Amino acid sequence: TIFNEEGKPLSSFGIVIDITEQKQIEQELIIAKEKAEESDRLKSAFLANMSHEIRTPMNGILGFAELLKESDLSGDKQQKYIGIIEKSGARMLNIINQIVGISKIEAGLTELDMKETNVNEQIEYVYTFFKPEAETKGIKLSFENPLPAKEAIIKTDREKLYAILANLVNNALKYTEKGSIELGYETLDTRGRAYLRFYIKDTGIGIPEDRQGAIFDRFIQADIADRMAYQGAGLGLAISKSYVEMLGGDIWVESEEGKGSTFYFTIPYKMDHQETDAQNVDESAIEKEDQAKSLKVLIVEDDELSAMLLSEYLQAIGKEILQISSGTEAVKICKNHPDIDLILMDIKMPDMDGEEVTREIRKFNKDVVIIAQTACGLSGDRKKAIEAGCDDYLAKPLIKTQLQTLIKKYFVKG
Ligand code: ADP
């Protein structure tokens, strides 16, 4: 400032810098840092929880396998232990499927497979699947299918719809000690668009209001310190939410602590009248029980235990089972044995991957049925295997009935 002789200011100079942008960036950086820290914290909690979720069933499997070795076990006890091992294995598989599911969603790899789906059938499948468990717990499970069969056929992703329903009923059972669980759907019209609104209503522990939003977030449950000691990885609802949104709907919960919860989700109600009876054809093929002729089967598998398991599964139908653990050998054997009917092809092998082996075999043998089997369980695996020349695809762990169904599909005529 410049002053005159009397000390009064005459003029002033100043510099003004607008730091709004700088401040904004600062704020954004702080928020980003907090978010990163929060996400890091949640992931650590998630990993700790996951480790627990995997170790617990592992404990059941290894522990009871150990006990099974005891020679003086009664038959009853043996069966009981085997049952526990099976249950633990199924629980672990569920966790792994959830981890794969959420990873696929995060990586944007989840694809939709839209096809005609009978909603009533899906509800009934879920009902039938969970009925025994509900009975054991003394809970009344009921369902309602309001639409007549013809109108209940919509175009959607059947597997995803089933997964959502199964997950919600599974939760309802998990968090309900007594009372009932109702499962069903209704049609509704919102702003000229038709929807099916599904509901799963339980009389369980309920969810406090301040947690009702969070339970749909991934990793969240892992971080809730006071959570009750129920098993679970806190991923089921996050996966369900992603699936519902992919199908074009919404999911939410209405719940009161101590009284129960009702989970709702919507999917667009698009009827598809071009009914095909693809499903019926499939089923009739399955019904032609045990017609598979004796087959010559080649198992290409580098993991000894997996090969042993397949071989046991196939004993009943294979007249001759060949087994090989390397890709290059497999091509050779196929050349020397043109009468092989079926090849079960592992995909991940050290010398040559299953897709490459299949391509080689297809150069001289177009007829042999090749079923790929892999433990990766990633989307795109099936497509890659089929493109390489495989006829079908199975994901490990292999279930005996799935294998049998596929074999019937290719080898039972009529
Ligand atoms: P989890 O594997 O832990 O069950 P979910 O993502 O399926 O994971 O559910 C997240 C959380 O939401 C659960 O841990 C539980 O606290 C709560 N929750 C889900 N369904 C119900 C229900 N039917 N009744 C009460 N609480 C539920």
Side-chain angles (χ1 to χ4, degrees):
T1 307
I2 299 171
F3 301 90
N4 63 11
E5 287 142 19
E6 286 140 30
K8 281 196 176 148
L10 283 178
S11 59
S12 291
F13 299 91
I15 299 169
V16 176
I17 304 169
D18 181 357
I19 58 162
T20 316
E21 205 178 333
Q22 193 182 330
K23 279 282 165 203
Q24 254 168 12
I25 293 171
E26 245 172 50
Q27 280 299 322
E28 278 164 22
L29 276 176
I30 291 171
I31 293 170
K33 177 175 160 278
E34 278 168 4
K35 233 174 135 179
E37 280 170 357
E38 167 79 357
S39 149
D40 187 45
R41 201 171 55 82
L42 286 174
K43 284 207 172 152
S44 303
F46 168 75
L47 276 180
N49 188 40
M50 208 53 67
S51 166
H52 168 262
E53 281 307 309
I54 292 174
R55 275 168 199 278
T56 314
M58 221 41 222
N59 193 31
I61 295 171
L62 295 178
F64 283 96
E66 178 82 43
L67 287 181
L68 265 181
K69 286 195 242 163
E70 283 168 19
S71 53
D72 54 346
L73 270 186
S74 68
D76 274 1
K77 276 216 161 134
Q78 270 181 11
Q79 288 308 317
K80 193 173 157 203
Y81 293 173
I82 292 169
I84 296 173
I85 293 176
E86 272 178 350
K87 242 182 145 171
S88 307
R91 178 172 160 192
M92 187 130 116
L93 182 60
N94 184 37
I95 297 288
I96 290 165
N97 283 339
Q98 286 195 339
I99 300 174
V100 171
I102 206 84
S103 313
K104 275 196 214 167
I105 291 168
E106 289 207 342
L109 286 173
T110 317
E111 285 165 12
L112 282 181
D113 178 15
M114 305 294 267
K115 55 184 171 217
E116 276 121 42
T117 304
N118 186 325
V119 176
N120 290 357
E121 266 175 21
Q122 297 306 307
I123 295 270
E124 268 174 61
Y125 285 151
V126 175
Y127 170 78
T128 319
F129 184 83
F130 287 102
K131 180 96 181 123
E133 199 181 327
E135 269 170 9
T136 318
K137 276 190 95 173
I139 291 166
K140 186 174 175 288
L141 178 67
S142 60
F143 74 95
E144 200 181 359
N145 277 335
L147 284 175
K150 257 207 205 133
E151 290 169 32
I153 294 171
I154 59 166
K155 204 151 198 163
T156 194
D157 187 315
R158 195 184 300 160
E159 318 263 291
K160 299 217 166 47
L161 175 62
Y162 183 86
I164 302 162
L165 285 168
N167 182 39
L168 294 177
V169 174
N170 188 33
N171 274 351
L173 269 170
K174 202 154 83 174
Y175 299 104
T176 303
E177 282 316 316
K178 58 176 195 294
S180 61
I181 295 167
E182 291 165 38
L183 157 74
Y185 67 90
E186 53 218 351
T187 50
L188 84 164
D189 228 299
T190 321
R191 282 172 254 115
R193 296 178 73 168
Y195 282 93
L196 289 181
R197 185 174 71 184
F198 292 83
Y199 59 85
I200 292 89
K201 184 172 171 26
D202 67 50
T203 55
I205 59 170
I207 303 160
E209 213 174 327
D210 60 340
R211 274 185 53 198
Q212 288 178 11
I215 53 169
F216 293 100
D217 291 343
R218 54 198 71 166
F219 306 144
I220 284 295
Q221 188 239 16
D223 198 40
I224 294 170
D226 66 341
R227 73 174 269 246
M228 324 245 312
Y230 291 99
Q231 66 182 54
L235 286 176
L237 286 179
I239 295 174
S240 300
K241 182 171 191 267
S242 299
Y243 283 178
V244 169
E245 285 169 358
M246 284 174 82
L247 296 178
D250 248 328
I251 185 167
W252 67 98
V253 64
E254 284 169 14
S255 179
E256 201 176 325
E257 248 186 301
K259 292 228 166 109
S261 318
T262 309
F263 280 84
Y264 295 97
F265 71 92
T266 54
I267 56 171
Y269 179 36
K270 277 184 284 200
M271 267 179 39
D272 202 297
H273 288 293
Q274 294 157 350
E275 279 178 47
T276 62
D277 45 10
Q279 224 190 339
N280 301 342
V281 173
D282 243 29
E283 276 163 14
S284 72
I286 298 164
E287 274 162 23
K288 303 246 181 288
E289 286 286 326
D290 299 329
Q291 282 184 16
K293 57 173 180 163
S294 288
L295 304 170
K296 184 162 179 173
V297 187
L298 172 67
I299 299 174
V300 188
E301 171 63 76
D302 70 325
D303 177 59
E304 209 181 309
L305 285 181
S306 303
M308 211 171 112
L309 185 66
L310 271 176
S311 164
E312 289 290 330
Y313 281 175
L314 289 167
Q315 289 293 329
I317 51 138
K319 70 173 168 200
E320 199 179 337
I321 298 173
L322 305 169
Q323 203 172 309
I324 200 82
S325 60
S326 98
T328 14
E329 283 296 307
V331 180
K332 260 194 228 155
I333 285 213
C334 279
K335 277 195 177 137
N336 296 336
H337 297 258
D339 58 334
I340 290 175
D341 303 289
L342 168 69
I343 304 175
L344 292 167
M345 179 74 70
D346 184 23
I347 291 294
K348 217 169 156 194
M349 285 179 295
D351 61 335
M352 202 175 165
D353 72 37
E355 283 144 11
E356 236 179 300
V357 181
T358 304
R359 267 184 228 110
E360 284 303 309
I361 293 173
R362 283 299 181 220
K363 284 184 189 159
F364 58 87
N365 187 341
K366 300 253 182 287
D367 299 324
V368 60
V369 175
I370 306 181
I371 298 179
Q373 31 131 1
T374 139
C376 298
L378 292 176
S379 82
D381 278 358
R382 165 183 286 275
K383 204 167 152 227
K384 269 187 2 218
I386 306 277
E387 273 168 9
C390 294
D391 297 280
D392 234 305
Y393 168 95
L394 278 174
K396 288 179 195 169
L398 298 180
I399 312 284
K400 192 172 163 192
T401 49
Q402 279 176 347
L403 182 63
Q404 282 170 339
T405 307
L406 263 192
I407 288 174
K408 278 180 196 145
K409 179 169 155 195
Y410 289 99
F411 297 102
V412 177
K413 300 279 174 278

